[in-house]
Amino acid sequence: MWPNLIAKAKEGGLDVIQTYVFWNLHEPQQGQYDFRGMRNIVRFIKEIQAQGLYVTLRIGPYIESECTYGGLPLWLHDIPGIVFRSDNEQFKFHMQKFSAKIVNLMKSANLFASQGGPIILSQIENEYGNVEGAFHEKGLSYIRWAAQMAVGLQTGVPWVMCKQDNAPDPVINTCNGMQCGKTFKGPNSPNKPSLWTENWTSFYQVFGEVPYIRSAEDIAYNVALFIAKRGSYVNYYMYHGGTNFDRIASAFVITAYYDEAPLDEYGLVREPKWGHLKELHAAIKSCSNSILHGTQTSFSLGTQQNAYVFKRSSIECAAFLENTEDQSVTIQFQNIPYQLPPNSISILPDCKNVAFNTAKVSIQNARAMKSQLEFNSAETWKVYKEAIPSFGDTSLRANTLLDQISTTKDTSDYLWYTFRLYDNSPNAQSILSAYSHGHVLHAFVNGNLVGSIHGSHKNLSFVMENKLNLINGMNNISFLSATVGLPNSGAYLERRVAGLRSLKVQGRDFTNQAWGYQIGLLGEKLQIYTASGSSKVQWESFQSSTKPLTWYKTTFDAPVGNDPVVLNLGSMGKGYTWINGQGIGRYWVSFHTPQGTPSQKWYHIPRSLLKSTGNLLVLLEEETGNPLGITLDTVYITSQ
């Protein structure tokens, strides 16, 4: 998809593609690097270069970005004495090693602008100003070290730190947000340019919540204002969001990412954002000579109207006329009347004629889905039921409740907690009270589901209280704890915990007693979502009654044409999807928004992952979804 996405960005008037570097993807195991396929960042940058665009490389290597664990690899968690993102020798050692690895990789391919390549800016750290205070004096010393370390890598291009007002020279402090023309304090040194590294075109969405809609008019207004105030670089976050494949999304973040961006999740042009911003970019570029070489003055045109004028000579002049009122006004500029729409900026490349106004949108379109294939025949599906492990099935044991993150090491979303409970009470009914710290908990007694509960993005912790019908004698109690991505932000990320934290039955505390653990599901271990792994278990025919923790598989042919392909999983509950062994991401259709609808029901399958015939679709359903309601759809743009 890269060449087409880059081409559409260029056509939209962009000059630069900005990308993070994902430490957890490129060094998933300590000392083992991966730059293959979708992780081939050198190839990605060379494709950008081939299309004549520049690159901003945000190395981080902590990146947040709604990426699980903030983009840090989980193996860092197990290094004794480590404190992430602080003046801590262990963290600094590994951070410098990875940063140098990436810089040297870029240098070896001659990709920095100092070598004739496209990379014009690099970033070290990420929004550290949000957490610096939590580390006290070690925060300031760390940021000074990070700046010195980065500059010492000698890339020959400038380094930036976003949301870092005290970025040490020569590192450039930059702004993130939606209104940097209003909120940015500006460069912290007169020899630094004014840069905006993240202009949020929407906002990330989490399960249980609706998408954030930001208008094209608002985005354009704030870009024009930033440029009018001598801003020299604006980056959209995101211009194309894409898909959180596999398990890359952070806690509760949906699989679609910034679908409301100018290029939507599937890479289709989303209007009016894409076209309106294209016109904005053209208007600003037509002012380039005056902006770059002219003298800027600003003055009032009314109570809530301002002019920003760049004048190079008597004939070279550009103006940005701003109206901050909620109503249209007419002003005089250079003895000529101009009508300014509410909350808008008019751009005059010659200080006379209006080339663009941020509030005037001329292009609209709409997006639609068309069903191409229904999976409504029971004969097409095969089923494998995941076994519910009991204490006797486990080999990992502890006399306490273990932390899920430390135990699974992010190899799976799932951790089984099992124990045995002997009961000989006459009524054999007890009250179970389980406290969990994210994100989902399913309780089984003697192999039968007795309760499920989950948290939310705003409230990770919860308590499950259920009545238990126990048998007279030994009972096997099993809890399946599931994370939906790991945390990605905040100070002391290495201290975060997840999973079952305490358990009481009839008031008796079972927190510190013999527990047995199983990391992940058997189907995951056997990789039954792949063609080879699928043959390792006995699949059964589909029955109308479904149980939780059921795997489903079928095959299908790719739809004809080039339109993007999506799975409509509106009939399912919660789980995970694979196509030809590639993880498409988590789904959670049963977690509804306050309006009673799923946060996401269409799941993107890039055509590059599909064969013309015989594609393997495997789903793991945690709850009791109905696969007979799944459809394979294509996405297309309609005129509005």
Side-chain angles (χ1 to χ4, degrees), residues 331-373:
I331 53 91
Q332 291 282 332
F333 174 67
Q334 296 191 154
N335 298 318
I336 301 174
Y338 293 90
Q339 187 179 37
L340 303 180
N343 298 303
S344 74
I345 294 177
S346 288
I347 299 177
L348 289 62
D350 58 359
C351 282
K352 293 179 182 178
N353 299 293
V354 177
F356 179 82
N357 179 273
T358 60
K360 294 181 178 179
V361 172
S362 58
I363 307 168
Q364 295 282 354
N365 74 1
R367 189 176 71 183
M369 314 293 183
K370 183 177 181 180
S371 178
Q372 301 289 345
L373 177 64

Side-chain angles (χ1 to χ4, degrees), residues 26 129-130 207 243 280 473 497 502 572 576:
H26 294 306
N130 292 345
F207 287 112
T243 306
L280 168 71
V497 295
S502 68
M572 302 302 287
Y576 199 93

